[in-house]
Structures are given as structure tokens and as C-alpha cells.
Amino acid sequence: MAMDKTDFAEQREDLLQGIERDQEEVRVAVHELTGAARSTLNVSEHIKQFPLTWAVGAFLVGLWLGSCGAPTHVAGQRRP
């Protein structure tokens, strides 16, 4: 019976140490993720550096979406 208590105490200690390690890994991962999210979401700095490039890109994307997405003739309607 003394052996069972010793085994239980060792298992409990191992589990507690494992939980502490896991908690530290989660803290580090959350810290890294927070830093990555801040740097990724800072698009305004990129736009400030190259405003003409972004304006031309936005225009071209709008032109592409406007020309490809809209049907030229809908069934049942007369053409002008």
C-alpha cells in the first residue's frame, strides 16, 4: 500500500510539471501570435509608403471585378 501512495505522488508530480510546461508553451505561443497579428494588421503603413501603387491596384481590381462579374445580358430583358 505504501508503494501505491508513492506511485500516485510521483504521477501527480509528473502531471503537475507537465501542466506547468504546457501553460508556459501556451503563454509563449499567445505572445508570438499577438505580435504577428499586430504586424500583419498594420496595412496603413504599407499604403502610406506606396499610395500610388495601392491606388492603381485598387482601380485595376475594381475594373476586373466590374467587367467579369456583371452579366452583359440578362435573359428576358431587351438589349438597348
Side-chain angles (χ1 to χ4, degrees):
M1 184 146 182
M3 187 62 128
D4 290 339
K5 289 183 181 179
T6 305
D7 289 342
F8 176 75
E10 288 177 9
Q11 289 177 350
R12 183 176 183 269
E13 188 63 33
D14 289 343
L15 288 173
L16 289 174
Q17 288 176 358
I19 290 170
E20 288 175 7
R21 282 191 305 269
D22 292 345
Q23 286 177 336
E24 183 60 29
E25 288 178 14
V26 168
R27 276 191 217 104
V28 169
V30 167
H31 183 39
E32 291 175 355
L33 183 60
T34 302
R38 284 188 182 138
S39 66
T40 303
L41 296 177
N42 196 2
V43 176
S44 63
E45 290 299 319
H46 297 290
I47 294 173
K48 287 178 186 176
Q49 290 177 352
F50 304 103
L52 184 61
T53 304
W54 282 89
V56 170
F59 174 76
L60 292 174
V61 168
L63 185 67
W64 176 64
L65 289 175
S67 66
C68 293
T72 55
H73 177 66
V74 177
Q77 291 184 348
R78 295 177 62 189
R79 288 189 176 186

